[in-house]
Structures are given as C-alpha cells and as structure tokens.
Amino acid sequence: MFLFLLLSMVVVVAAVTLAVVGGGKGDILRDVPPEQLTDPLPVSRPVGREDVEALRLPVGVRGYRMADVDEALARLGAELAERDARIAELEAALAGARAGRPDLTKEPADRAPHDEETGR
C-alpha cells in the first residue's frame, strides 16, 4: 500500500510539473510585462480625498512596486506640506487681525444690532 501511495504521489507531482512547464508544447507560462500604475494622482490639480481612495498601486513580485509607492507618497507628502503651510499662513493672518480687533465674532459694543422693523 505504501509503495502504491508513493508511486501515485510521484505521478501527480510529475503531472503538475509538466502542466506548469508545458511539456514542450507552447508557452503556458508566458512572460507578462509588469503592471504599471494606470491611474496616477492628478498633476493638474490638488489631490483630493477621492483621488487617494481611488488610488490602486500595482503589485510586483514581492508586494507593491516600490517606485510607484514612493512616487505616490512623495506627492501626498508635498500636498500635505503645502496645505499645512497655507493653514499656518491663514492662522497667522487671523491672529494678526484679532490682535487689532479683540473679538471678531461679536459686533462692537458701541453699535447696537439693527432692527429692520423699527429702523433702529
């Protein structure tokens, strides 16, 4: 019985090997060009949330292709740095405006709210 199982296993391994290699009949394992990033991040406008959600990086032999991942991360890092700088600039401008006028959210104390019905 052991000899039969061993012989069966050898036959199955040989059949699978011939099927994968092709047994000399055509190319079953054809060379396929590597996947490329088909839908990169937009260059003509800032990157949005939808762009990041739609980003699908191609898979290489051992995971994601490093060049595509590096490019996407560099672009996202640059966009975030630009937005952080813009936020800091706007916060500084707001702080400067508040320094000249203590509370921008309320009307000045010397001016009462205007009532449209009475005209006062």
Side-chain angles (χ1 to χ4, degrees), residues 50-109:
E50 299 82 23
D51 298 322
V52 175
E53 289 175 352
L55 181 65
R56 296 292 175 256
L57 298 168
V59 178
V61 176
R62 297 181 305 168
Y64 292 105
R65 294 182 41 150
M66 287 176 37
D68 293 330
V69 173
D70 290 344
E71 180 183 332
L73 289 176
R75 175 70 192 277
L76 292 173
E79 291 277 337
L80 289 174
E82 184 179 316
R83 289 180 186 174
D84 288 345
R86 180 70 176 143
I87 289 171
E89 177 185 318
L90 292 173
E91 285 177 345
L94 181 61
R98 283 189 177 164
R101 186 171 166 194
D103 191 0
L104 293 176
T105 59
K106 296 181 182 176
E107 291 189 30

